[in-house]
Structure formats: C-alpha cells, structure tokens
Amino acid sequence: MKKRINSLFFLTIFGVTLTSCSGKTLSRNSFYFDTYIDSKLFEGSESDLDNLNNIYSKIDKLTDNFNLRDINNIYTVNNTSDEVQIDSQLYELLELTFSTNLNKLKYFNPLCGSLSKAWKSSLKKNEVLSPQIISEELTKMSLSSLEFLGENKVKKVGESEIDLGSVAKGYVLDKAKEYFDNNNYKNYLIDAGSSSILLGEKNGGKDFKIKISDLDNCYLSLKNCFVSTSSFLRQKVEIDGVNYSHIINPVTGSAINENDVVIVISNKGYLGDILSTDFINESIDSIKEFEKTFDVKTIVIKDNSIIYKNDNIEVLNK
C-alpha cells in the first residue's frame, strides 16, 4: 500500500498592519487544542493576552477527551458510567452541542469519538478501518446518549465516546469574543489554526483580507464575524489512491468526504465549526436550507473549484 499524508492550511490572513494604542501590535502564539492560536490585539495590554490564554487553557482542559486533567473534563465523562459534576462552561458547551436544533444536522454527531479514534488508529497503521469495526462502532453510537441532570451534572449512557474536537475551538473563540465585548474592544484578530478564526475590525472599521490559499488570487474581505473551515485537504491520508479524512461521516462510518472544503461565515464560533463539519458531507441543496435555518453564509470547494457560494459572499481577486 502507498500512503501519503498532507497537511495544508486553507485560509491565510494577510495585510495585518494595525497598531495598538501604545503604538504596537500585541501578539502571542499559544499552543492549545493541538494547534497554535495566534492572538493579535490592536488595543489593550499584555494582561489582556494573559487573560485570553487563561480562557484557552481552561477550555482546552475541559474538552480534552484523551487525558485526565486537574479538572473533570470530557475524558472524565467518557470513562465513567456515573454522573459527573462538571464546570459550568463545559456544561454550557455540551448543552449547545447536543441541542435539539442541531439534531437536524445529519452528519454531525458529538458521540462519534470512539469511531473517530478507531479510524485514526487504523490510518496510522496504514490500514483502512474494517467494515466490521465500523458497524460495531455505529451500533455503539446509536445506543449512546448524554443525560443532562441539572446543576452542572451529566451522565453518559452507552459505550461510544463524546468528541468535542469539531466545536471546541469555535467555542473558545466565542468566549474570547465575550471578553472583547465586555472590555469594549473592537480591533482584534484570533486565528486558531486557520480552521477557526475570530475577526474584529481594523482601525477605522476596515475589513481584514482572508486569502483562500489553494485558489489562485482569491480572497475574502471580512470583519466582525467568525470564519470556520473544514477541509479533508488539511489532514488527508492517501492509501491505494483513495483519500481518507480526519472528518468521519457518523451515518455511514466512512472517512471519505463528499466535499473537499467548506467555509462557513457566522455570528457564533461554535455554530460555524459544527456546521462546517456537517456540511463537508452535505448536498448543496441541504446546505442552502441550513444556511437559512442557522443564518450563516457558506462556500463549498471541490476539485480546486468553488461549486457553491452564498449570494451574499463576495470572492475577490487580487
């Protein structure tokens, strides 16, 4: 078998030349959620970067489904059949992730953690996950659930694990946005691994330029929004000429995606991340309907071409 791994970042922010009130850009690059979060503030102080890092660190701990931390987290919830008292932020995130409104989405399921881990383990060994294991994991998923018991207590039922990897970065950007709003800051940019981006605005209310890396000379001009990207191009594994993704289809159990790249522009980071994950396997007709339901705008790319773009998005050329 021939195996090839590609890791590509799809969105690039360029043209950032702002300064803070003190005459310089305040910047910090931190590693959380297995990626680098680049925080740029064009007003405020170093203590604001410290406070943002505290936000990142806490939510990183809470959403970790691989390691036991110094606080009850997703790993704790996944590895006990008892009720667990959790932090109010994790409870809020789980309520958002398991909300009834999101049940309309066919290809997003936060209980696909065990299936996702099985695929990662298999691809790491240069193997495609067997149909038998896929079937077993899908059965586990169908028999699993999360009970909300109130007072920040939850209980996971069944053997499948919760995975918040497709929503955690968006949620942490929501918390960063709350911090900026509480401090009346408008000029900022947070880039969480290029797949989740929070944009304020440039001084004077100007837009940021967001380059779509794999499309020649194409960029977006945006401000005051979240930009979420799901792309199998970022972490694809090629085995015997077939590309397998890190984004798993929770309906079929497959690691082969319908679309190559989905970009969602939204007013909520957690929602944009969830929708981009779901839309990677949705039909264009379904995506159009969900855009209306959730008030978002979408770009879909396949074979290095835009196959769908919301009418309210302008793709510019340099």
Side-chain angles (χ1 to χ4, degrees):
M1 290 186 176
K2 182 181 179 182
K3 176 182 177 182
R4 185 172 65 199
I5 300 177
N6 290 338
S7 181
L8 304 175
F9 294 108
F10 205 79
L11 294 183
T12 304
I13 302 170
F14 62 94
V16 180
T17 57
L18 299 186
T19 58
S20 69
C21 296
S22 61
K24 64 179 181 180
T25 298
L26 301 172
S27 180
R28 186 172 299 176
N29 208 17
S30 310
F31 192 79
Y32 296 104
F33 309 99
D34 291 325
T35 193
Y36 284 98
I37 301 180
D38 184 17
S39 304
K40 285 185 171 61
L41 307 185
F42 312 111
E43 56 186 318
S45 66
E46 288 288 340
S47 64
D48 292 308
L49 291 175
D50 293 336
N51 293 334
L52 287 171
N53 256 32
N54 290 335
I55 292 172
Y56 306 155
S57 176
K58 180 180 178 181
I59 298 175
D60 180 44
K61 290 180 180 180
L62 291 174
T63 57
D64 189 345
N65 67 322
F66 287 92
N67 304 287
L68 186 65
R69 299 290 195 101
D70 57 2
I71 187 172
N72 283 341
N73 61 1
I74 288 299
Y75 181 90
T76 312
V77 175
N78 280 334
N79 287 277
T80 180
S81 58
D82 299 327
E83 67 178 47
V84 181
Q85 181 89 43
I86 57 176
D87 184 88
S88 60
Q89 283 191 336
L90 181 55
Y91 194 88
E92 176 187 57
L93 176 55
L94 286 170
E95 282 192 311
L96 291 170
T97 306
F98 282 84
S99 69
T100 302
N101 198 31
L102 292 177
N103 286 342
K104 300 173 183 177
L105 301 174
K106 187 175 181 181
Y107 299 106
F108 173 75
N109 190 332
L111 285 161
C112 70
S114 302
L115 176 60
S116 179
K117 283 183 178 180
W119 263 110
K120 288 178 182 178
S121 177
S122 184
L123 291 176
K124 190 175 181 179
K125 294 183 291 186
N126 196 26
E127 297 174 355
V128 177
L129 193 62
S130 73
Q132 179 181 348
I133 294 178
I134 291 174
S135 178
E136 291 172 355
E137 292 297 340
L138 289 175
T139 298
K140 287 181 188 178
M141 200 185 310
S142 69
L143 298 175
S144 298
S145 62
L146 182 67
E147 296 180 354
F148 292 88
L149 306 176
E151 298 181 340
N152 297 329
K153 295 178 182 178
V154 296
K155 179 180 180 181
K156 186 180 71 69
V157 177
E159 298 179 41
S160 193
E161 295 182 3
I162 299 168
D163 184 348
L164 298 180
S166 61
V167 64
K169 287 191 293 182
Y171 179 75
V172 84
L173 293 186
D174 285 325
K175 293 305 174 184
K177 175 71 160 55
E178 287 181 13
Y179 180 83
F180 293 137
D181 289 347
N182 290 338
N183 287 278
N184 295 315
Y185 292 163
K186 294 183 178 180
N187 306 131
Y188 53 81
L189 183 158
I190 312 292
D191 179 2
S194 295
S195 62
S196 301
I197 299 172
L198 166 60
L199 300 174
E201 58 189 45
K202 292 186 178 182
N203 290 332
K206 296 181 180 179
D207 290 5
F208 291 99
K209 300 297 187 287
I210 312 294
K211 186 179 186 302
I212 306 177
S213 301
D214 284 3
L215 296 182
D216 291 341
N217 301 319
C218 291
Y219 71 94
L220 307 174
S221 182
L222 300 169
K223 65 179 179 179
N224 298 323
C225 65
F226 297 86
V227 185
S228 303
T229 302
S230 288
S231 169
F232 93 93
L233 297 173
R234 296 185 67 241
Q235 299 180 40
K236 71 178 179 179
V237 177
E238 183 180 310
I239 301 176
D240 291 344
V242 179
N243 291 317
Y244 295 91
S245 174
H246 67 292
I247 305 171
I248 308 304
N249 184 323
V251 177
T252 65
S254 171
I256 300 174
N257 299 151
E258 178 66 25
N259 301 306
D260 292 351
V261 181
V262 174
I263 301 169
V264 175
I265 301 168
S266 68
N267 293 316
K268 288 290 183 180
Y270 87 90
L271 180 61
D273 278 11
I274 287 174
L275 293 178
S276 69
T277 299
D278 176 83
F279 289 178
I280 203 77
N281 284 304
E282 289 281 5
S283 68
I284 299 302
D285 286 343
S286 294
I287 288 172
K288 290 179 180 179
E289 289 302 313
F290 285 132
E291 282 185 313
K292 298 174 186 176
T293 300
F294 295 105
D295 189 25
V296 300
K297 294 175 287 188
T298 307
I299 296 173
V300 181
I301 297 168
K302 191 165 185 175
D303 297 329
N304 298 314
S305 298
I306 295 175
I307 62 170
Y308 170 70
K309 178 184 70 65
N310 184 284
D311 291 339
N312 294 313
I313 296 177
E314 186 178 7
V315 177
L316 303 170
N317 298 107
K318 289 194 293 182

